[in-house]
Amino acid sequence: MSEPIIGDLMSDQIEVFAVCPADAIERSGAMGFSLSRIDDRGESRPFPIIVVRTFANDYFGYVNRCPHESVWLNIGSGAFFSADRSFLRCGRHGARFEIDTGICIDGPCDGQSLEPVALAVIEGDVCLCGVKLLEDDGFADLFADGDETMDITIHPD
């Protein structure tokens, strides 16, 4: 018998990466994120994703790539949604996708789907699950650790 899914999510085997605070995305809103995924050869590859928050407070995640020509959904206008905000929309081709399934219901990729990514809200953060990412440690703060800087005293003499 296999373990329940929740047991798998809580094990050390699943990579979990906090993408943003859950409240950073407004209800009926979406945000794009440019991440870097580690592929099977250990190399870093671009991994653009979209996180959508519904009015009902559910979160859905997709790779930010239209299945028609592999362009970002928000290319052009910068918007992720159709005019009435009821569908995700490709800015280049006008294809419309169901928010909760990612299935294209209208456009050149009709019947195809956006690639889903597993999300979970954990302790107030939207987290990406099951993807090995390159963690960005950012730039070192040169003034963060006073022990590594020299103290200089200037005398008026």
Side-chain angles (χ1 to χ4, degrees), residues 17 35-38 44-45 131-137:
F17 179 82
L35 307 174
S36 294
R37 173 172 39 185
I38 305 298
S44 175
R45 298 283 180 234
V131 177
K132 186 166 179 71
L133 297 176
L134 177 68
E135 293 192 39
D136 182 9
D137 293 332

Side-chain angles (χ1 to χ4, degrees), residues 12 20 55 60 103 106-107:
D12 292 338
C20 70
F55 185 75
F60 295 96
I103 295 173
D106 182 41

Side-chain angles (χ1 to χ4, degrees), residues 38 69 101 112:
I38 305 298
E69 287 185 357
T101 65
Q112 295 180 23

Side-chain angles (χ1 to χ4, degrees), residues 63-73 90 93 95 97 109 114:
V63 173
N64 188 359
R65 183 175 41 246
C66 179
H68 179 233
E69 287 185 357
S70 296
V71 297
W72 288 12
L73 293 179
C90 177
H93 311 109
F97 303 87
C109 49
L114 298 173

Side-chain angles (χ1 to χ4, degrees), residues 70-106:
S70 296
V71 297
W72 288 12
L73 293 179
N74 57 324
I75 197 165
S77 68
F80 288 108
F81 293 105
S82 59
D84 64 0
R85 298 181 74 82
S86 58
F87 295 96
L88 291 170
R89 180 180 175 279
C90 177
R92 177 169 287 166
H93 311 109
R96 293 185 305 152
F97 303 87
E98 293 178 340
I99 292 171
D100 59 341
T101 65
I103 295 173
C104 180
I105 55 129
D106 182 41

